[in-house]
Amino acid sequence: MSKLEQKKLMERMQQSVFFRNNGIVLKAVNLLRDKYVALEDICNALQPSMTESEFRDSVNYLTECGYIRLRGIESKELITLADASMNMLEAKVTADGIKIIACVRTDECIDV
């Protein structure tokens, strides 16, 4: 196997993990359905099967796509992952996120 083939294989493997992680995080946020859940609690629950970095990547993707909503734990104001530390944020699944979980809508970057 050439170095180029090895590189492409590694990229596909990393991509596959990212897609799987996105589905896991989306479903984990949805566990409390109508309540916000602290990101730090979800991250801790998913370790060691998912690193904090992988978790942050998924939260960022799901937020930017509008599948989850983030807000400050104390302020209750909407905020992005880029603007606050993870231990200060909580998340809730949006209507679009519920459609993904229910397989009514699809996203090529989310394995549910």
Side-chain angles (χ1 to χ4, degrees):
M1 182 179 289
S2 72
K3 291 214 183 256
L4 181 59
E5 290 172 325
Q6 288 175 349
K7 182 180 178 190
K8 286 182 181 181
L9 180 61
M10 283 299 295
E11 287 172 358
R12 280 192 299 245
M13 288 170 47
Q14 289 170 340
Q15 186 179 55
S16 174
V17 170
F18 177 66
F19 296 170
R20 179 184 54 83
N21 286 346
N22 289 342
I24 291 169
V25 171
L26 186 61
K27 288 185 272 186
V29 172
N30 192 51
L31 284 177
L32 294 179
R33 302 212 193 314
D34 61 342
K35 305 264 189 246
Y36 278 84
V37 60
L39 284 186
E40 191 170 42
D41 291 345
I42 298 170
C43 183
N44 290 336
L46 295 175
Q47 289 178 356
S49 63
M50 186 182 306
T51 66
E52 182 178 331
S53 175
E54 290 171 327
F55 178 77
R56 292 177 66 83
D57 286 344
S58 289
V59 167
N60 186 58
Y61 178 77
L62 295 169
T63 303
E64 293 300 317
C65 290
Y67 301 135
I68 63 174
R69 182 176 301 122
L70 297 180
R71 72 178 187 184
I73 291 174
E74 291 183 19
S75 70
K76 305 301 184 203
E77 292 181 16
L78 296 181
I79 194 167
T80 67
L81 186 60
D83 294 330
S85 63
M86 195 169 62
N87 65 339
M88 299 172 61
L89 298 173
E90 54 190 5
K92 182 179 181 307
V93 176
T94 65
D96 285 336
I98 292 168
K99 289 175 186 175
I100 295 287
I101 293 168
C103 298
V104 173
R105 181 175 175 185
T106 60
D107 182 310
E108 61 276 0
C109 294
I110 301 175
D111 288 339
V112 290

